Amino acid sequence: MPFTIAAQVCYEEEIKKSRFQAIAVPVENEAAVKAFLEENKDITTTHQCWAWKIGHQVRFNDDGEPSGTAGRPILATIEGNELTNVLVLVNRWYGGVKLGTGGLVRAYGGSAGQCLLQAEKIELIEKKMAHFNCQFSEWSIFQYEMQQQGIEFQEQYTADGVAVELQLQVHQISELTDKIRDVTRGREHLKVVEEHD
């Protein structure tokens, strides 16, 4: 069962005069990662090292620290906590005392770990994209049904009726499939978009 974190958390500590600040944030996709890193660019830092994991995709960055001493330990902490859809950024303000490679690994991995300890872990609910069509007369029934279940949807009116695109949780698929079949008397079906990695 994959887990992510509920909300952004921060942790700060000083290690041999260097200040380390870890920020962990839930992310849905690479665009969210880029946006967060862009918003949190801080030119006062000596290094901004990060790692993220979304599904099977992982990336990390040492930002000028010796290779393998920052990004990889941060990633190891994310994976060690069995998290996904998470980005951890660790800022370092150098304080004049060299930590050595072992010290850096402990400092970056440790800051990330302490930060993630503060986060509330939540079960990552897998969502699927799907779509279906219906007639104008049937639309209000589906609209009500989807609002009741908290399903995100967008409708587009066509000459023949309504084309609906939606994002729903996996456990909601069979119920909505039955509803569409019943209301349209088997004329329409819910088509789930299968994503390919």
Side-chain angles (χ1 to χ4, degrees), residues 129-133 166 177 180 187-193:
M129 297 296 288
H131 54 92
F132 70 93
N133 297 323
L166 53 148
T177 299
I180 292 168
R187 189 189 68 247
E188 297 294 344
H189 305 280
L190 181 68
K191 297 171 191 78
V192 177
V193 180

Side-chain angles (χ1 to χ4, degrees), residues 20 32 87 110 139 142 154 177:
F20 288 85
L87 162 69
W139 174 229
F142 293 124
Q154 286 182 312
T177 299

Side-chain angles (χ1 to χ4, degrees), residues 92-107:
R92 179 188 183 194
W93 288 269
Y94 182 59
V97 179
K98 287 198 185 306
L99 299 180
T101 52
L104 288 171
V105 168
R106 283 190 297 278

Side-chain angles (χ1 to χ4, degrees), residues 3-9 24 26 83 86 115-123:
F3 285 86
T4 187
I5 60 174
Q8 182 172 323
V9 284
L83 292 169
V86 171
C115 186
L116 289 172
L117 278 179
Q118 296 177 23
E120 181 194 344
K121 278 168 98 167
I122 54 168
E123 196 177 308

Side-chain angles (χ1 to χ4, degrees), residues 39-50:
E39 284 165 28
N40 288 276
K41 216 178 233 355
D42 186 342
I43 55 167
T44 69
T45 63
T46 320
H47 302 280
Q48 287 197 291
C49 306
W50 50 262

